[in-house]
Structure formats: structure tokens, C-alpha cells
Amino acid sequence: MDWLTRSYTTLRVRLDDAVCFVQMYRAAAGNAINEQLIADLTAVLRDCEAHAKIVVLEGLPDVFCNGADFREIQSRFDGGGAAHDDPGPLYDLWLRLAQGPFMTIAHVRGRANAGGVGFVAACDLVVSDEKAVFSLSELLFGVMPACVLPFLVRRIGAARANAMTLTTQPVSAAQAKAWGLVDVCDANTESTLRILLLRLRRLERTAIARYKRYATTLDGSLAAAKPAALAANVEVFSDPHNLRNIARYVSTGRFPWEAS
């Protein structure tokens, strides 16, 4: 298949009996989200609609996804250009994970932060390593997880999503499972995922697609929240004060509250 032989700069992709394994692979950047990652993942998921019934989204052994690429933001800000991306493509990517005609499984090892939690919350099932941690660090830099929250609230409820946002504290895999963000937590996720897929492979692609289409009609919250989520994202990532803090953090490693 042509789409499997394409050269992706941010992903590793393989298809195994209608199960597509998609590994985010930006090791030097902690799997941070940039425009190319969004474009590559969107293209793969679009092709999966015709060729896959299950999509397994993975990261690296020590980091699933660290959120927005601050270096990319710093580069645009220092260059005098628009420092924020259009959040629409990322939101639409998460919608595709949540509502596409395939089952989506997040395989989480290591750290899932900020937008990384968005990927997790958008998936149908989440298999997590016992040592994985989940966090929303945005408020530390004056921004907010505006686009993450509709997906996270759907998963764990408004009160817990609010607590994660306001405290910015990491949540353990065990706590995430108790809250409903994680479905299966195990020390050996490779074995756990393999056993889970043995059963899920029996499902017909048409049955999965029909169920996902029906499930979307039961909950219109994600589509309804999109305009406000995008507007809030643009607002906080257009604020020069926030952008200066992000650029300084990338350059010096100092947080906004630390003296120069």
C-alpha cells in the first residue's frame, strides 16, 4: 500500500492484519506536537479509514507526548511572526481519533503532558504502563489546555479535569485509571496490548464503524465545544507576555516566576 511506504518525518507506521500501529517519533523533541506531526497523523488516519479497523497510537518508551513544541513557538516569536498555530487542525485530529470509523487505542509509556493528554483522552481505549504520568502544565506559562479540555472532560468529568488544570500536578497511572482516563494499567503493556488485540481483531470493521458513527450521535459535546476551544487557544497563545515567558523558558530553562 502506497500510504505505508510514504516517508514520514514524525511517525513510524506499520499495518498488521487491519491493525495500524502509529508511533509518534520525535525523540529529540520529546514527541512534542508541531505542524508536521499534526499533518502526518492526519494523513495516516485518513488512510486508516479505508484500510484499518484498529489504530494503536504509541509514543516512545520514556515519553508518550510532551505537548506543544515550545521551540517551534520560540522560533516564530523571535522571528517576529505569528507565534501560534491555527489550533483547528489539532482539534480536528483529536476529533478523528474520537469519532473516526475505527477503534483507537492509546498505548502510553512515560510522560503524557498537555497536548499529550489530549491524544490520550481522544482515544477509545487507553493502555498505560504503571510508571506513566499524566499532567496539564499549561497554566505554569499563562496558557490553558483549551482544546484538550472537551476531550478530557468527556473522559473524567469536569471536576477532575478542572483539578488537573489548576494544580498542574502530575497524575500517576493508578490515579488516572481510578478516574477513568486509563482503561488498563499494567507493568508489561506490550503483553497486555497483544492479549487485548487478540480479541479486538475478531471485530468486523463495518461493525466498529457503525458503532462509532452511532456513538457520535449520543454525545455532541466535542463538536459543540470546538469554536470556544479554538478561540480560547488563540487568545492565550497570542498574548505577547505568555510568548515571552515560553521563549525565555526554552532559552534559559527558567519558569515565568523565577527571577532573570
Side-chain angles (χ1 to χ4, degrees):
M1 298 180 187
D2 292 343
W3 65 284
L4 289 174
T5 60
R6 292 177 196 155
S7 178
Y8 298 102
T9 61
T10 68
L11 305 175
R12 291 181 173 180
V13 182
R14 65 183 176 91
L15 187 68
D16 179 9
D17 189 24
V19 178
C20 186
F21 293 86
V22 185
Q23 182 185 36
M24 295 181 282
Y25 200 83
R26 300 192 67 220
N31 273 356
I33 304 166
N34 66 354
E35 291 182 2
Q36 191 61 53
L37 176 66
I38 295 169
D40 286 348
L41 268 172
T42 298
V44 169
L45 291 182
R46 187 179 297 119
D47 288 324
C48 282
E49 293 182 4
H51 300 291
K53 62 183 178 182
I54 301 169
V55 177
V56 179
L57 181 64
E58 304 178 297
L60 300 168
D62 61 336
V63 58
F64 177 75
C65 173
N66 208 27
D69 190 335
F70 275 11
R71 291 190 181 278
E72 189 173 74
I73 294 173
Q74 178 205 30
S75 178
R76 288 196 300 266
F77 179 68
D78 289 346
H84 66 86
D85 290 332
D86 173 9
L90 179 58
Y91 197 97
D92 289 339
L93 172 57
W94 291 340
L95 276 177
R96 197 178 290 268
L97 285 169
Q99 301 179 344
F102 35 65
M103 186 185 308
T104 52
I105 303 173
H107 179 201
V108 184
R109 294 166 294 174
R111 184 174 62 258
N113 179 58
V117 174
F119 279 115
V120 174
C123 287
D124 296 314
L125 298 172
V126 180
V127 176
S128 169
D129 181 86
E130 290 178 343
K131 296 180 180 178
V133 292
F134 304 82
S135 57
L136 298 177
S137 62
E138 287 88 342
L139 280 185
L140 295 174
F141 300 93
V143 295
M144 70 175 91
C147 291
V148 174
L149 283 172
F151 298 87
L152 186 61
V153 167
R154 186 183 69 140
R155 262 276 182 177
I156 67 174
R160 287 166 177 161
N162 185 57
M164 283 187 70
T165 302
L166 290 174
T167 66
T168 72
Q169 290 293 319
V171 172
S172 69
Q175 186 65 70
K177 185 176 186 300
W179 284 359
L181 180 57
V182 168
D183 297 293
V184 182
C185 181
D186 203 299
N188 187 347
T189 55
E190 295 286 354
S191 176
T192 299
L193 184 61
R194 184 168 58 252
I195 293 169
L196 178 63
L197 287 173
L198 283 175
R199 184 174 186 85
L200 297 181
R201 287 176 192 271
R202 299 173 181 172
L203 303 179
E204 293 185 358
R205 181 161 48 204
T206 301
I208 293 172
R210 283 173 175 164
Y211 165 71
K212 291 290 293 286
R213 185 169 61 246
Y214 168 67
T216 298
T217 68
L218 299 179
D219 180 6
S221 64
L222 297 179
K226 181 179 176 180
L230 300 191
N233 182 282
V234 169
E235 178 184 4
V236 295
F237 279 100
S238 299
D239 187 328
H241 175 72
N242 295 338
L243 297 173
R244 281 193 295 271
N245 282 337
I246 290 172
R248 192 185 80 141
Y249 174 76
V250 172
S251 298
T252 68
R254 290 196 296 270
F255 288 98
W257 61 87
E258 295 180 312
S260 300

